[in-house]
Every structure is written in C-alpha cells, then in structure tokens.
Amino acid sequence: MPHRVVVLALDRVIPLDLGIPARVFNEARAPDGTRLYSVTTCSLGGRPVRTHEDYRILVDHDESALEGADTVVLATQEPGATLLSTGAIPPDVAAALARIGPHTRIVSLCTSAFLLAAAGLLDGGRATTHWALCEALARTFPRVEVDPDVLFVDNGRVLTSAGGAAGIDLCLHLVRRDHGAAVASAAARRCVVAPWREGGQAQFIEHPVPQETDRSTSPTRQWALDRLAEPLTLEDLARHAHMSVRTFTRKFRAEVGSSPLKWLAQRRLAHARLLLESTDLPVARIATVCGFGDPVALRKHFHAHVGLPPLAYRRAHSAPEPAVAR
C-alpha cells in the first residue's frame, strides 16, 4: 500500500509550490519501479481554487480526503490581513484541519506555517517559514520558536519549510526519512534537482552565483568530496583554493550557505548513510572511509543528526539485496 499524501490547496495558493509534492513523491520508486507514494490534491468543498496568479485550478477531491491521509501537505498560501492581525483562520479552514488524524504527518510549505500556527499545531515547537515573514510569524504566534535561518524544520510529526525550492528539499527529506538516501537520490535525479540540502542550511545565500571575476570554491568542494577519508582541515581547504582561511571561509559561506567544516561534516554523514543503506561494510570501515576516524565518532554524529545509531539505521533503511562496496 503506497503512503497516502494529501495536498490541501486553498485560495491564493502558489501554483509552483502546489505542484511540488506530487512532482517529488511520485518519483520515489521501489526497486521494481512501483511508486511508494500516492498523491491526492483536495480543496474546500472540492471547489475550483483561485491561485496567486491569474487562473484557477480544478481539483477532484474535497477536504474529506484529509481523513485517510498518512501525510498532509499544506501548499503555500500567503497569510491574509486577518490572519496576520488576529492569528485566526476562517472556520471552514479550521474545520478542514480538524479532519486530520492525530497520527497523520503534517507538512507546511513556506507561509502555510501560519495556518499550522493558528491551529495550535506549532505551539511550543520550532518552525520556519519564508525568511521575509519569519518576524511576522514570531510576532503573531509568540508560542512558536521561529528559526529564520534554516531551509526546513523536522519536529517528527509536524514539519515546516522555508520558501520556494525549500519545499523540494523538505519533500526529499521525507522520502529519505521514509525510504533512505538511495531512493531519495534517485527521485531527485528524476526531478533534476540537488539530492541533498540539509535543513540547517541557510535560507538566504548572499551570492548564490559568484561573479565571473571571482574565484569559486566549487573546485575545492569537489576536491574535498574525493578525499572524505582524509583528515581535512580548514587550512587544507583554503590552501587548495589558493586563498587565505578568512577569504575562503567568507566566499564558501556566500556560495554554499554554511561554513566549510559544517558542509564537510554533512557530506561525510550523507556518504555514511548511503554506505549503510547500500553495502554490508562494517561500521568501523564506514567510519574510516567517510573520514570520521572511528566508530565512536560516527555513532556520535548519527545520534546528533539522525536520531539512530548506525546499525539501527542500517536495519531500518538497507535495501533488500545490498551491494557490497569494493
């Protein structure tokens, strides 16, 4: 039985964001090509939805579809003046959200975090939204810990994302959480998007595309990826880029959105996850290959960022017939 994803489209929905869940989840496939998710889109009363642009969208389902969902996604809807001033949502929207089961996973894309906050689903927890409205979210809903500096926040049952492409990152994160990095990476390739952006990466990157006259850190990033097993230092990276440590760190953060060593740790962890899923290499060997040095350090990183020890992660995410790495 595929995991049932239901997307709720409300008036003034952003069309691009509305299509993200189906685009990503429908590309998550089992080894035999079977789809791992089914995606349904619904609206209040099954009525046509007025988008943020100059057209409407017809959907085939009403809000009763929310009752049978395993995951509900609230497509991006910009908060109106009433929601911003009073923190209240219309009764029909509140009634629709009340149909969601107590164990159903709930995801908001971008500014739909305001709807979750108004429904009390974010109280006492950490959340994010588009960086331009993070201050408004925190002001309107003081019981929510708003983090403006991340792409998405995973609180277990409830997840929130920043704007635009961060919705893709969050959906891929869910595929990775449900089925492992190999399935998520394959889905990303089919969508022709980057397979791995951690939720903790900065929303706003100062210079996403370096000036042509600037030296990019991209060659050094590839150089580091080819040497994950080595004990690379910040000085090693800067030396390879022919820059001072200060200049390299500044340019790296401007291009990537995180510090060089944080990025390197994320890449090592991603490689370790992939090896645990797709090979039968011992944990000690994986720790060495990925540059953690020893199993203790690897376990520490897994507990901090994945919430499971490596062997438990392997049991939960390994493929039916793992291929042994050479």
Side-chain angles (χ1 to χ4, degrees):
M1 176 75 74
H3 183 104
R4 296 163 297 181
V5 177
V6 177
V7 183
L8 177 59
L10 299 171
D11 278 346
R12 302 292 292 169
V13 67
I14 305 295
L16 173 64
D17 296 16
L18 177 60
I20 286 173
R23 186 69 183 93
V24 174
F25 289 120
N26 282 336
E27 295 299 347
R29 311 288 180 88
D32 63 359
T34 304
R35 284 183 172 175
L36 297 170
Y37 299 86
S38 66
V39 183
T40 298
T41 304
C42 71
S43 67
L44 299 182
R47 296 186 293 271
V49 179
R50 182 181 59 201
T51 74
H52 186 267
E53 309 307 329
D54 62 342
Y55 55 89
R56 297 171 181 256
I57 293 176
L58 296 177
V59 300
D60 294 332
H61 304 274
D62 62 22
E63 64 269 34
S64 63
L66 299 170
E67 298 175 6
D70 298 307
T71 294
V72 168
V73 180
L74 303 187
T76 304
Q77 186 227 26
E78 293 186 351
T82 300
L83 178 53
L84 287 172
S85 61
T86 68
I89 52 178
D92 55 351
V93 176
L97 297 180
R99 288 175 174 260
I100 301 173
H103 302 294
T104 300
R105 187 165 60 190
I106 306 174
V107 177
S108 72
L109 301 184
C110 195
T111 49
S112 287
F114 281 82
L115 299 176
L116 295 187
L121 292 168
L122 300 181
D123 286 354
R126 183 167 155 263
T128 194
T129 188
H130 191 285
W131 60 268
L133 286 175
C134 279
E135 183 177 339
L137 181 63
R139 182 176 61 252
T140 307
F141 302 101
R143 297 185 64 183
V144 180
E145 180 189 346
V146 180
D147 189 340
D149 298 321
V150 296
L151 293 178
F152 58 83
V153 173
D154 181 347
N155 284 330
R157 181 189 173 222
V158 181
L159 302 93
T160 55
S161 74
I168 299 175
D169 295 311
L170 180 50
C171 289
L172 285 172
H173 167 75
L174 288 174
V175 174
R176 187 164 58 244
R177 197 176 96 173
D178 293 344
H179 300 286
V183 173
S185 294
R189 285 196 299 273
R190 296 187 186 102
C191 295
V192 197
V193 296
W196 189 277
R197 290 206 304 173
E198 284 285 355
Q201 182 169 317
Q203 281 195 39
F204 180 71
I205 301 175
E206 184 178 357
H207 302 294
V209 181
Q211 298 292 329
E212 291 184 2
T213 56
D214 288 349
R215 289 176 292 167
S216 171
T217 63
S218 178
T220 297
R221 277 179 266 146
Q222 186 57 55
W223 177 82
L225 290 175
D226 294 337
R227 292 162 177 79
L228 287 180
E230 300 178 15
L232 300 176
T233 65
L234 182 57
E235 288 74 15
D236 293 330
L237 299 173
R239 187 179 305 111
H240 178 270
H242 303 291
M243 302 178 191
S244 68
V245 169
R246 182 177 180 179
T247 298
F248 176 77
T249 301
R250 176 175 56 79
K251 286 183 175 291
F252 194 100
R253 187 179 292 277
E255 292 179 22
V256 178
S258 68
S259 70
L261 294 184
K262 181 180 179 181
W263 173 86
L264 185 60
Q266 290 173 346
R267 291 305 166 285
R268 284 176 165 151
L269 186 62
H271 191 44
R273 292 170 74 157
L274 183 60
L275 291 178
L276 285 166
E277 294 173 23
S278 59
T279 79
D280 59 3
L281 287 173
V283 171
R285 176 61 179 157
I286 291 176
T288 300
V289 168
C290 297
F292 290 103
D294 60 68
V296 174
L298 178 60
R299 282 194 290 270
K300 180 179 178 181
H301 277 78
F302 258 77
H303 275 295
H305 299 284
V306 183
L308 290 172
L311 288 179
Y313 181 87
R314 168 172 273 167
R315 286 192 295 269
H317 294 90
S318 59
E321 297 181 3
V324 179
R326 296 179 180 178

